[in-house]
Amino acid sequence: MAAKRLSSAQDYQRLLDRYDTWLLDCDGVLWQGDRLVDGVPEVLNLLRERKKKIFFVTNNATKSRKNYKKKFDQLGVAAEVEEVFGSAYASAVYISSVMKLPKDKKVYVIGMKGLEEELDEEGIAHIGGTDPADNTLEEFHLKNFEPDPDVGAVLCGLDTSINYTKLSKAFTYLHRNKDCAFLATNTDSTFPSAEGLLPGAGSISAPLTCALGRDPVSIGKPAKTMLDCIRAKYRFDPERTIMVGDRLNTDIEFGKGGGLATLLVLTGITHEWEITGPNPSTTIPDYFTNSIGDLRNAN
Amino acid sequence: MAAKRLSSAQDYQRLLDRYDTWLLDCDGVLWQGDRLVDGVPEVLNLLRERKKKIFFVTNNATKSRKNYKKKFDQLGVAAEVEEVFGSAYASAVYISSVMKLPKDKKVYVIGMKGLEEELDEEGIAHIGGTDPADNTLEEFHLKNFEPDPDVGAVLCGLDTSINYTKLSKAFTYLHRNKDCAFLATNTDSTFPSAEGLLPGAGSISAPLTCALGRDPVSIGKPAKTMLDCIRAKYRFDPERTIMVGDRLNTDIEFGKGGGLATLLVLTGITHEWEITGPNPSTTIPDYFTNSIGDLRNAN
């Protein structure tokens, strides 16, 4: 079915009436890098005034929920830590509660501080990550590397300090121990920075996927894990819940897979022709509009 | 057709009689990292005594042919620079003679000194690579990056100093300019170091492949470019030429694609069950033997 373009005040009003729970992607929807999308504070106020339940559902695993809260604060957007569901948090919940990694096991991390913070919050032991010993461009030699026998999983997220030492250690854990779980916070191929696209978390786990010849278990959107994570904390009626995002293959697929309504905004990665053109994507949202700011036009 | 296992003195003798030109892979065939495979000097002497033409055909693009010569010297193996065909050299030849990159254009390099040396030898301007400015774990910001408008190709090889700055620059060149060529010296997923497997060149270009959603043009085995490169310098009769290698998806595929005979050795990455087991590979060599050293057993 074709996506419905929203344009009139009535269109936006109907949407507000129809959905009680709003899952909002962040990068490309609320902001582009460090630049807030026009009208976001007003729209969030509007949703709150109308007693909508809001969740911020983001694949960005470089920030913990607490860091996210700070980002909201800096941008002048009201938000609570409890409203934020990031793939770093979801990964930690997955490790502790879904795969139930034994307490005496560790996670080897390719990722940044925010990811480590969420693992800490869930009481999951981890190595790698921001450890200075692994953040080096020195030549890596297997003979100088003593693998930690307690590593039971490798978790890979966006890491702007990615290097051959981290990749080689992660590869060694996974290659030598078939029982070691290969996890990715998310597999977004690109990342929308304030100044433009850069390689995303999927590009950081891609070397391991290539070298191992197998795909990671991906936790973030479009995987259901994130929704399970929200559901574990809050009740919501999927029939009256809408996912708002800028990516077809993550946000919109995530919403559809969870039985939610979906709204695509064009402030991020997706162009209108990808859903309305002669060769449209196989993932089509229920609705689309230029920007989440358009919701201000509701009656 | 099933691969023939060579085992008797007669088997090896027949092979020596039948082939005049011997293309030998290096890593996993002649040596494993820095450890020479048993019997290699004797076998090379045997081949030379019998007036065989020898070429060393390697996907390892971290070394130039001159560096390769040094490695042969260090290991006590007689070899000439002219006998060495590496994917670094083949990439330089491809850029200058096949794609004919205009002389006023540059190559952005992800790779090591050996690759830069071969580009220099072919008179190809290049940036990136070992430039200290790009060998950093400092945070990368697009706003501080001024793309060089003369970059007409990105060439990606094994680079143990891989980092987010290099990946982001390479991605930006390729993403913003559809005419910029995306080249890989080779796409071997792993690299056999002396102490064990590590991520290979294919794993280094994998982030770009993921972020761009397209594959590079790969120059090394199994691509025909390497054979074209040898053919441009020497005549040989494919019917009397044999490719010896340890990898089915590079060496053996390369030999078969070029109409050469193929000999798999088991000193590298491939296990015997991969060609004789119940679910054999679709790429089967003509012959296989434990080690190239077995050729000493020829009558």
Side-chain angles (χ1 to χ4, degrees), chain A residues 135-137 142-143 160 162 164 171 189 195 197-199 203 207 210-211, chain B residues 135-137 142-143 160 162-164 171 189 195 197-199 203 207 210-211:
Chain A
N135 286 272
T136 173
L137 291 179
L142 270 175
K143 65 172 180 281
T160 59
I162 186 65
Y164 199 70
F171 171 72
S189 60
E195 300 114 24
L197 279 190
L198 289 174
S203 301
C210 173
Chain B
N135 286 272
T136 174
L137 291 179
L142 270 174
K143 64 171 180 281
T160 58
I162 187 65
N163 60 63
Y164 200 69
F171 171 72
S189 60
E195 301 112 25
L197 280 189
L198 289 174
S203 301
C210 172

PDB file of all heavy atoms in Angstrom, chain A residues 135-137 142-143 160 162 164 171 189 195 197-199 203 207 210-211, chain B residues 135-137 142-143 160 162-164 171 189 195 197-199 203 207 210-211:
ATOM      1  N   ASN A 135      43.385   1.337  22.556  1.00  0.00           N
ATOM      2  CA  ASN A 135      43.170   2.507  21.706  1.00  0.00           C
ATOM      3  C   ASN A 135      44.517   3.005  21.221  1.00  0.00           C
ATOM      4  O   ASN A 135      45.044   4.011  21.692  1.00  0.00           O
ATOM      5  CB  ASN A 135      42.377   3.572  22.446  1.00  0.00           C
ATOM      6  CG  ASN A 135      40.918   3.171  22.562  1.00  0.00           C
ATOM      7  OD1 ASN A 135      40.133   3.464  21.682  1.00  0.00           O
ATOM      8  ND2 ASN A 135      40.589   2.427  23.602  1.00  0.00           N
ATOM      9  N   THR A 136      45.049   2.273  20.267  1.00  0.00           N
ATOM     10  CA  THR A 136      46.410   2.489  19.817  1.00  0.00           C
ATOM     11  C   THR A 136      46.517   2.159  18.333  1.00  0.00           C
ATOM     12  O   THR A 136      45.745   1.338  17.819  1.00  0.00           O
ATOM     13  CB  THR A 136      47.370   1.567  20.620  1.00  0.00           C
ATOM     14  OG1 THR A 136      48.672   1.672  20.064  1.00  0.00           O
ATOM     15  CG2 THR A 136      46.932   0.098  20.550  1.00  0.00           C
ATOM     16  N   LEU A 137      47.473   2.823  17.680  1.00  0.00           N
ATOM     17  CA  LEU A 137      47.782   2.472  16.292  1.00  0.00           C
ATOM     18  C   LEU A 137      49.098   1.698  16.216  1.00  0.00           C
ATOM     19  O   LEU A 137      49.628   1.465  15.136  1.00  0.00           O
ATOM     20  CB  LEU A 137      47.827   3.719  15.409  1.00  0.00           C
ATOM     21  CG  LEU A 137      46.474   4.404  15.176  1.00  0.00           C
ATOM     22  CD1 LEU A 137      46.636   5.639  14.301  1.00  0.00           C
ATOM     23  CD2 LEU A 137      45.483   3.441  14.526  1.00  0.00           C
ATOM     24  N   LEU A 142      49.802 -11.059  17.511  1.00  0.00           N
ATOM     25  CA  LEU A 142      49.084 -12.084  18.277  1.00  0.00           C
ATOM     26  C   LEU A 142      49.938 -12.632  19.409  1.00  0.00           C
ATOM     27  O   LEU A 142      49.431 -12.971  20.472  1.00  0.00           O
ATOM     28  CB  LEU A 142      48.676 -13.232  17.353  1.00  0.00           C
ATOM     29  CG  LEU A 142      47.304 -13.128  16.675  1.00  0.00           C
ATOM     30  CD1 LEU A 142      47.112 -14.273  15.701  1.00  0.00           C
ATOM     31  CD2 LEU A 142      46.185 -13.124  17.712  1.00  0.00           C
ATOM     32  N   LYS A 143      51.259 -12.699  19.184  1.00  0.00           N
ATOM     33  CA  LYS A 143      52.114 -13.311  20.212  1.00  0.00           C
ATOM     34  C   LYS A 143      52.154 -12.489  21.497  1.00  0.00           C
ATOM     35  O   LYS A 143      52.463 -13.018  22.561  1.00  0.00           O
ATOM     36  CB  LYS A 143      53.527 -13.559  19.676  1.00  0.00           C
ATOM     37  CG  LYS A 143      54.323 -12.320  19.314  1.00  0.00           C
ATOM     38  CD  LYS A 143      55.779 -12.726  18.998  1.00  0.00           C
ATOM     39  CE  LYS A 143      56.616 -11.512  18.619  1.00  0.00           C
ATOM     40  NZ  LYS A 143      56.387 -11.072  17.216  1.00  0.00           N
ATOM     41  N   THR A 160      34.563   5.511  17.124  1.00  0.00           N
ATOM     42  CA  THR A 160      35.380   6.388  16.278  1.00  0.00           C
ATOM     43  C   THR A 160      36.867   6.242  16.612  1.00  0.00           C
ATOM     44  O   THR A 160      37.691   6.916  16.011  1.00  0.00           O
ATOM     45  CB  THR A 160      34.931   7.856  16.412  1.00  0.00           C
ATOM     46  OG1 THR A 160      35.062   8.233  17.778  1.00  0.00           O
ATOM     47  CG2 THR A 160      33.487   8.032  15.965  1.00  0.00           C
ATOM     48  N   ILE A 162      38.088   3.119  16.346  1.00  0.00           N
ATOM     49  CA  ILE A 162      38.282   1.781  15.786  1.00  0.00           C
ATOM     50  C   ILE A 162      39.726   1.657  15.268  1.00  0.00           C
ATOM     51  O   ILE A 162      40.271   2.627  14.734  1.00  0.00           O
ATOM     52  CB  ILE A 162      37.247   1.495  14.671  1.00  0.00           C
ATOM     53  CG1 ILE A 162      37.343   0.045  14.196  1.00  0.00           C
ATOM     54  CG2 ILE A 162      37.383   2.466  13.496  1.00  0.00           C
ATOM     55  CD1 ILE A 162      36.963  -0.953  15.272  1.00  0.00           C
ATOM     56  N   TYR A 164      43.126  -1.539  14.354  1.00  0.00           N
ATOM     57  CA  TYR A 164      43.435  -2.933  14.017  1.00  0.00           C
ATOM     58  C   TYR A 164      43.598  -3.798  15.269  1.00  0.00           C
ATOM     59  O   TYR A 164      43.300  -4.992  15.241  1.00  0.00           O
ATOM     60  CB  TYR A 164      44.690  -2.992  13.145  1.00  0.00           C
ATOM     61  CG  TYR A 164      44.829  -4.291  12.384  1.00  0.00           C
ATOM     62  CD1 TYR A 164      43.969  -4.613  11.332  1.00  0.00           C
ATOM     63  CD2 TYR A 164      45.828  -5.204  12.706  1.00  0.00           C
ATOM     64  CE1 TYR A 164      44.097  -5.803  10.624  1.00  0.00           C
ATOM     65  CE2 TYR A 164      45.965  -6.402  12.003  1.00  0.00           C
ATOM     66  CZ  TYR A 164      45.096  -6.693  10.965  1.00  0.00           C
ATOM     67  OH  TYR A 164      45.230  -7.868  10.271  1.00  0.00           O
ATOM     68  N   PHE A 171      38.254 -10.321  16.673  1.00  0.00           N
ATOM     69  CA  PHE A 171      38.272 -11.436  15.718  1.00  0.00           C
ATOM     70  C   PHE A 171      38.797 -12.697  16.391  1.00  0.00           C
ATOM     71  O   PHE A 171      38.236 -13.787  16.225  1.00  0.00           O
ATOM     72  CB  PHE A 171      39.145 -11.087  14.508  1.00  0.00           C
ATOM     73  CG  PHE A 171      39.388 -12.253  13.591  1.00  0.00           C
ATOM     74  CD1 PHE A 171      38.374 -12.746  12.785  1.00  0.00           C
ATOM     75  CD2 PHE A 171      40.629 -12.878  13.549  1.00  0.00           C
ATOM     76  CE1 PHE A 171      38.588 -13.839  11.951  1.00  0.00           C
ATOM     77  CE2 PHE A 171      40.854 -13.967  12.723  1.00  0.00           C
ATOM     78  CZ  PHE A 171      39.828 -14.448  11.918  1.00  0.00           C
ATOM     79  N   SER A 189      24.420   1.361   8.417  1.00  0.00           N
ATOM     80  CA  SER A 189      25.641   1.461   7.614  1.00  0.00           C
ATOM     81  C   SER A 189      26.287   2.841   7.720  1.00  0.00           C
ATOM     82  O   SER A 189      27.501   2.969   7.639  1.00  0.00           O
ATOM     83  CB  SER A 189      25.346   1.119   6.154  1.00  0.00           C
ATOM     84  OG  SER A 189      24.395   2.016   5.629  1.00  0.00           O
ATOM     85  N   GLU A 195      27.554  17.478  10.112  1.00  0.00           N
ATOM     86  CA  GLU A 195      28.073  18.015   8.838  1.00  0.00           C
ATOM     87  C   GLU A 195      27.862  17.091   7.660  1.00  0.00           C
ATOM     88  O   GLU A 195      28.256  17.411   6.545  1.00  0.00           O
ATOM     89  CB  GLU A 195      29.564  18.325   8.992  1.00  0.00           C
ATOM     90  CG  GLU A 195      29.841  19.345  10.080  1.00  0.00           C
ATOM     91  CD  GLU A 195      30.605  18.740  11.228  1.00  0.00           C
ATOM     92  OE1 GLU A 195      31.290  17.732  11.010  1.00  0.00           O
ATOM     93  OE2 GLU A 195      30.504  19.267  12.359  1.00  0.00           O
ATOM     94  N   LEU A 197      27.072  12.658   6.294  1.00  0.00           N
ATOM     95  CA  LEU A 197      27.137  11.239   6.594  1.00  0.00           C
ATOM     96  C   LEU A 197      28.558  10.767   6.876  1.00  0.00           C
ATOM     97  O   LEU A 197      29.514  11.222   6.247  1.00  0.00           O
ATOM     98  CB  LEU A 197      26.613  10.433   5.398  1.00  0.00           C
ATOM     99  CG  LEU A 197      25.109  10.278   5.241  1.00  0.00           C
ATOM    100  CD1 LEU A 197      24.841   9.257   4.144  1.00  0.00           C
ATOM    101  CD2 LEU A 197      24.449   9.844   6.538  1.00  0.00           C
ATOM    102  N   LEU A 198      28.671   9.840   7.809  1.00  0.00           N
ATOM    103  CA  LEU A 198      29.936   9.169   8.115  1.00  0.00           C
ATOM    104  C   LEU A 198      29.643   7.678   8.262  1.00  0.00           C
ATOM    105  O   LEU A 198      28.483   7.289   8.402  1.00  0.00           O
ATOM    106  CB  LEU A 198      30.530   9.734   9.410  1.00  0.00           C
ATOM    107  CG  LEU A 198      31.088  11.160   9.320  1.00  0.00           C
ATOM    108  CD1 LEU A 198      31.515  11.648  10.698  1.00  0.00           C
ATOM    109  CD2 LEU A 198      32.270  11.211   8.351  1.00  0.00           C
ATOM    110  N   PRO A 199      30.689   6.855   8.238  1.00  0.00           N
ATOM    111  CA  PRO A 199      30.440   5.414   8.432  1.00  0.00           C
ATOM    112  C   PRO A 199      29.768   5.135   9.782  1.00  0.00           C
ATOM    113  O   PRO A 199      30.143   5.730  10.794  1.00  0.00           O
ATOM    114  CB  PRO A 199      31.852   4.812   8.382  1.00  0.00           C
ATOM    115  CG  PRO A 199      32.655   5.773   7.551  1.00  0.00           C
ATOM    116  CD  PRO A 199      32.112   7.136   7.935  1.00  0.00           C
ATOM    117  N   SER A 203      29.266  -0.363   9.723  1.00  0.00           N
ATOM    118  CA  SER A 203      30.569  -0.318   9.059  1.00  0.00           C
ATOM    119  C   SER A 203      31.692  -0.701  10.007  1.00  0.00           C
ATOM    120  O   SER A 203      32.757  -1.126   9.581  1.00  0.00           O
ATOM    121  CB  SER A 203      30.828   1.077   8.493  1.00  0.00           C
ATOM    122  OG  SER A 203      29.821   1.422   7.566  1.00  0.00           O
ATOM    123  N   PRO A 207      34.120  -5.370   9.301  1.00  0.00           N
ATOM    124  CA  PRO A 207      35.369  -6.139   9.177  1.00  0.00           C
ATOM    125  C   PRO A 207      35.274  -7.504   9.853  1.00  0.00           C
ATOM    126  O   PRO A 207      35.805  -8.493   9.332  1.00  0.00           O
ATOM    127  CB  PRO A 207      36.400  -5.263   9.905  1.00  0.00           C
ATOM    128  CG  PRO A 207      35.842  -3.886   9.842  1.00  0.00           C
ATOM    129  CD  PRO A 207      34.356  -4.055   9.900  1.00  0.00           C
ATOM    130  N   CYS A 210      33.078  -9.791   7.817  1.00  0.00           N
ATOM    131  CA  CYS A 210      33.853 -10.252   6.659  1.00  0.00           C
ATOM    132  C   CYS A 210      34.851 -11.326   7.073  1.00  0.00           C
ATOM    133  O   CYS A 210      34.902 -12.407   6.484  1.00  0.00           O
ATOM    134  CB  CYS A 210      34.556  -9.051   6.037  1.00  0.00           C
ATOM    135  SG  CYS A 210      35.726  -9.474   4.721  1.00  0.00           S
ATOM    136  N   ALA A 211      35.651 -11.060   8.099  1.00  0.00           N
ATOM    137  CA  ALA A 211      36.727 -11.981   8.486  1.00  0.00           C
ATOM    138  C   ALA A 211      36.171 -13.293   9.029  1.00  0.00           C
ATOM    139  O   ALA A 211      36.764 -14.355   8.823  1.00  0.00           O
ATOM    140  CB  ALA A 211      37.645 -11.325   9.511  1.00  0.00           C
TER     141      ALA A 211
ATOM    142  N   ASN B 135      46.982   9.169  10.268  1.00  0.00           N
ATOM    143  CA  ASN B 135      47.234   8.033  11.156  1.00  0.00           C
ATOM    144  C   ASN B 135      47.068   8.488  12.597  1.00  0.00           C
ATOM    145  O   ASN B 135      48.033   8.691  13.324  1.00  0.00           O
ATOM    146  CB  ASN B 135      48.607   7.429  10.872  1.00  0.00           C
ATOM    147  CG  ASN B 135      48.588   6.645   9.576  1.00  0.00           C
ATOM    148  OD1 ASN B 135      48.267   5.468   9.572  1.00  0.00           O
ATOM    149  ND2 ASN B 135      48.860   7.322   8.459  1.00  0.00           N
ATOM    150  N   THR B 136      45.831   8.638  12.954  1.00  0.00           N
ATOM    151  CA  THR B 136      45.477   9.240  14.232  1.00  0.00           C
ATOM    152  C   THR B 136      44.194   8.622  14.763  1.00  0.00           C
ATOM    153  O   THR B 136      43.357   8.159  13.983  1.00  0.00           O
ATOM    154  CB  THR B 136      45.278  10.765  14.043  1.00  0.00           C
ATOM    155  OG1 THR B 136      44.801  11.310  15.263  1.00  0.00           O
ATOM    156  CG2 THR B 136      44.272  11.062  12.950  1.00  0.00           C
ATOM    157  N   LEU B 137      44.079   8.627  16.084  1.00  0.00           N
ATOM    158  CA  LEU B 137      42.816   8.210  16.705  1.00  0.00           C
ATOM    159  C   LEU B 137      42.049   9.425  17.232  1.00  0.00           C
ATOM    160  O   LEU B 137      41.061   9.287  17.938  1.00  0.00           O
ATOM    161  CB  LEU B 137      43.075   7.192  17.823  1.00  0.00           C
ATOM    162  CG  LEU B 137      43.561   5.817  17.355  1.00  0.00           C
ATOM    163  CD1 LEU B 137      43.805   4.881  18.535  1.00  0.00           C
ATOM    164  CD2 LEU B 137      42.558   5.176  16.403  1.00  0.00           C
ATOM    165  N   LEU B 142      33.908  16.216   9.954  1.00  0.00           N
ATOM    166  CA  LEU B 142      33.819  16.600   8.545  1.00  0.00           C
ATOM    167  C   LEU B 142      34.120  18.077   8.344  1.00  0.00           C
ATOM    168  O   LEU B 142      34.688  18.467   7.321  1.00  0.00           O
ATOM    169  CB  LEU B 142      32.422  16.282   8.000  1.00  0.00           C
ATOM    170  CG  LEU B 142      32.212  14.891   7.393  1.00  0.00           C
ATOM    171  CD1 LEU B 142      30.748  14.701   7.049  1.00  0.00           C
ATOM    172  CD2 LEU B 142      33.080  14.682   6.154  1.00  0.00           C
ATOM    173  N   LYS B 143      33.754  18.903   9.324  1.00  0.00           N
ATOM    174  CA  LYS B 143      33.930  20.354   9.133  1.00  0.00           C
ATOM    175  C   LYS B 143      35.414  20.744   9.065  1.00  0.00           C
ATOM    176  O   LYS B 143      35.757  21.788   8.522  1.00  0.00           O
ATOM    177  CB  LYS B 143      33.199  21.159  10.219  1.00  0.00           C
ATOM    178  CG  LYS B 143      33.701  20.957  11.634  1.00  0.00           C
ATOM    179  CD  LYS B 143      33.034  21.983  12.566  1.00  0.00           C
ATOM    180  CE  LYS B 143      33.510  21.816  13.999  1.00  0.00           C
ATOM    181  NZ  LYS B 143      32.835  20.699  14.692  1.00  0.00           N
ATOM    182  N   THR B 160      47.240  -1.892   8.813  1.00  0.00           N
ATOM    183  CA  THR B 160      47.157  -2.186  10.248  1.00  0.00           C
ATOM    184  C   THR B 160      47.091  -0.893  11.065  1.00  0.00           C
ATOM    185  O   THR B 160      47.033  -0.938  12.287  1.00  0.00           O
ATOM    186  CB  THR B 160      48.342  -3.062  10.707  1.00  0.00           C
ATOM    187  OG1 THR B 160      49.554  -2.387  10.418  1.00  0.00           O
ATOM    188  CG2 THR B 160      48.328  -4.406   9.991  1.00  0.00           C
ATOM    189  N   ILE B 162      44.565   1.169  10.271  1.00  0.00           N
ATOM    190  CA  ILE B 162      43.209   1.586   9.887  1.00  0.00           C
ATOM    191  C   ILE B 162      42.573   2.347  11.058  1.00  0.00           C
ATOM    192  O   ILE B 162      42.808   2.023  12.218  1.00  0.00           O
ATOM    193  CB  ILE B 162      42.358   0.351   9.498  1.00  0.00           C
ATOM    194  CG1 ILE B 162      41.010   0.788   8.947  1.00  0.00           C
ATOM    195  CG2 ILE B 162      42.211  -0.637  10.652  1.00  0.00           C
ATOM    196  CD1 ILE B 162      41.119   1.542   7.647  1.00  0.00           C
ATOM    197  N   ASN B 163      41.820   3.385  10.732  1.00  0.00           N
ATOM    198  CA  ASN B 163      41.176   4.175  11.781  1.00  0.00           C
ATOM    199  C   ASN B 163      39.984   4.924  11.181  1.00  0.00           C
ATOM    200  O   ASN B 163      39.756   4.887   9.969  1.00  0.00           O
ATOM    201  CB  ASN B 163      42.187   5.145  12.405  1.00  0.00           C
ATOM    202  CG  ASN B 163      42.740   6.090  11.372  1.00  0.00           C
ATOM    203  OD1 ASN B 163      42.008   6.878  10.781  1.00  0.00           O
ATOM    204  ND2 ASN B 163      44.044   5.990  11.102  1.00  0.00           N
ATOM    205  N   TYR B 164      39.250   5.606  12.026  1.00  0.00           N
ATOM    206  CA  TYR B 164      37.998   6.249  11.597  1.00  0.00           C
ATOM    207  C   TYR B 164      38.242   7.447  10.683  1.00  0.00           C
ATOM    208  O   TYR B 164      37.421   7.756   9.824  1.00  0.00           O
ATOM    209  CB  TYR B 164      37.181   6.659  12.823  1.00  0.00           C
ATOM    210  CG  TYR B 164      35.716   6.890  12.525  1.00  0.00           C
ATOM    211  CD1 TYR B 164      34.885   5.827  12.190  1.00  0.00           C
ATOM    212  CD2 TYR B 164      35.165   8.160  12.584  1.00  0.00           C
ATOM    213  CE1 TYR B 164      33.536   6.027  11.920  1.00  0.00           C
ATOM    214  CE2 TYR B 164      33.810   8.377  12.316  1.00  0.00           C
ATOM    215  CZ  TYR B 164      33.004   7.303  11.981  1.00  0.00           C
ATOM    216  OH  TYR B 164      31.668   7.505  11.707  1.00  0.00           O
ATOM    217  N   PHE B 171      35.345   7.331   2.630  1.00  0.00           N
ATOM    218  CA  PHE B 171      33.892   7.294   2.433  1.00  0.00           C
ATOM    219  C   PHE B 171      33.411   8.595   1.798  1.00  0.00           C
ATOM    220  O   PHE B 171      32.592   8.586   0.865  1.00  0.00           O
ATOM    221  CB  PHE B 171      33.179   7.058   3.767  1.00  0.00           C
ATOM    222  CG  PHE B 171      31.684   7.221   3.679  1.00  0.00           C
ATOM    223  CD1 PHE B 171      30.907   6.275   3.034  1.00  0.00           C
ATOM    224  CD2 PHE B 171      31.067   8.345   4.228  1.00  0.00           C
ATOM    225  CE1 PHE B 171      29.526   6.431   2.938  1.00  0.00           C
ATOM    226  CE2 PHE B 171      29.693   8.509   4.135  1.00  0.00           C
ATOM    227  CZ  PHE B 171      28.921   7.555   3.484  1.00  0.00           C
ATOM    228  N   SER B 189      39.537 -12.130   3.145  1.00  0.00           N
ATOM    229  CA  SER B 189      38.886 -11.761   4.394  1.00  0.00           C
ATOM    230  C   SER B 189      39.848 -11.848   5.580  1.00  0.00           C
ATOM    231  O   SER B 189      39.727 -11.103   6.536  1.00  0.00           O
ATOM    232  CB  SER B 189      37.663 -12.643   4.628  1.00  0.00           C
ATOM    233  OG  SER B 189      38.047 -14.003   4.689  1.00  0.00           O
ATOM    234  N   GLU B 195      51.621 -15.993  13.698  1.00  0.00           N
ATOM    235  CA  GLU B 195      51.039 -16.576  14.920  1.00  0.00           C
ATOM    236  C   GLU B 195      49.575 -16.973  14.759  1.00  0.00           C
ATOM    237  O   GLU B 195      48.966 -17.476  15.689  1.00  0.00           O
ATOM    238  CB  GLU B 195      51.172 -15.590  16.085  1.00  0.00           C
ATOM    239  CG  GLU B 195      52.607 -15.209  16.382  1.00  0.00           C
ATOM    240  CD  GLU B 195      52.889 -13.763  16.045  1.00  0.00           C
ATOM    241  OE1 GLU B 195      51.936 -12.969  16.041  1.00  0.00           O
ATOM    242  OE2 GLU B 195      54.054 -13.436  15.761  1.00  0.00           O
ATOM    243  N   LEU B 197      45.633 -16.375  12.297  1.00  0.00           N
ATOM    244  CA  LEU B 197      44.830 -15.535  11.405  1.00  0.00           C
ATOM    245  C   LEU B 197      44.518 -14.186  12.024  1.00  0.00           C
ATOM    246  O   LEU B 197      44.275 -14.072  13.227  1.00  0.00           O
ATOM    247  CB  LEU B 197      43.492 -16.220  11.106  1.00  0.00           C
ATOM    248  CG  LEU B 197      43.469 -17.313  10.046  1.00  0.00           C
ATOM    249  CD1 LEU B 197      42.018 -17.687   9.759  1.00  0.00           C
ATOM    250  CD2 LEU B 197      44.157 -16.868   8.767  1.00  0.00           C
ATOM    251  N   LEU B 198      44.512 -13.178  11.167  1.00  0.00           N
ATOM    252  CA  LEU B 198      44.082 -11.826  11.548  1.00  0.00           C
ATOM    253  C   LEU B 198      43.174 -11.287  10.441  1.00  0.00           C
ATOM    254  O   LEU B 198      43.138 -11.850   9.348  1.00  0.00           O
ATOM    255  CB  LEU B 198      45.308 -10.918  11.721  1.00  0.00           C
ATOM    256  CG  LEU B 198      46.180 -11.208  12.949  1.00  0.00           C
ATOM    257  CD1 LEU B 198      47.439 -10.346  12.924  1.00  0.00           C
ATOM    258  CD2 LEU B 198      45.396 -10.955  14.234  1.00  0.00           C
ATOM    259  N   PRO B 199      42.448 -10.209  10.708  1.00  0.00           N
ATOM    260  CA  PRO B 199      41.606  -9.643   9.643  1.00  0.00           C
ATOM    261  C   PRO B 199      42.450  -9.230   8.420  1.00  0.00           C
ATOM    262  O   PRO B 199      43.525  -8.661   8.576  1.00  0.00           O
ATOM    263  CB  PRO B 199      40.972  -8.420  10.320  1.00  0.00           C
ATOM    264  CG  PRO B 199      40.972  -8.754  11.783  1.00  0.00           C
ATOM    265  CD  PRO B 199      42.253  -9.513  11.998  1.00  0.00           C
ATOM    266  N   SER B 203      38.627  -7.234   4.977  1.00  0.00           N
ATOM    267  CA  SER B 203      38.017  -6.716   6.201  1.00  0.00           C
ATOM    268  C   SER B 203      38.273  -5.223   6.362  1.00  0.00           C
ATOM    269  O   SER B 203      37.539  -4.539   7.065  1.00  0.00           O
ATOM    270  CB  SER B 203      38.561  -7.461   7.428  1.00  0.00           C
ATOM    271  OG  SER B 203      38.282  -8.836   7.311  1.00  0.00           O
ATOM    272  N   PRO B 207      34.186  -1.884   5.748  1.00  0.00           N
ATOM    273  CA  PRO B 207      33.399  -0.743   6.236  1.00  0.00           C
ATOM    274  C   PRO B 207      32.937   0.166   5.102  1.00  0.00           C
ATOM    275  O   PRO B 207      31.810   0.677   5.134  1.00  0.00           O
ATOM    276  CB  PRO B 207      34.395   0.005   7.142  1.00  0.00           C
ATOM    277  CG  PRO B 207      35.388  -1.032   7.558  1.00  0.00           C
ATOM    278  CD  PRO B 207      35.513  -1.962   6.393  1.00  0.00           C
ATOM    279  N   CYS B 210      30.186  -1.530   3.159  1.00  0.00           N
ATOM    280  CA  CYS B 210      28.948  -1.439   3.942  1.00  0.00           C
ATOM    281  C   CYS B 210      28.351  -0.044   3.866  1.00  0.00           C
ATOM    282  O   CYS B 210      27.179   0.122   3.544  1.00  0.00           O
ATOM    283  CB  CYS B 210      29.256  -1.825   5.385  1.00  0.00           C
ATOM    284  SG  CYS B 210      27.900  -1.552   6.535  1.00  0.00           S
ATOM    285  N   ALA B 211      29.160   0.976   4.126  1.00  0.00           N
ATOM    286  CA  ALA B 211      28.649   2.354   4.190  1.00  0.00           C
ATOM    287  C   ALA B 211      28.172   2.844   2.819  1.00  0.00           C
ATOM    288  O   ALA B 211      27.217   3.604   2.723  1.00  0.00           O
ATOM    289  CB  ALA B 211      29.713   3.286   4.754  1.00  0.00           C
TER     290      ALA B 211
END
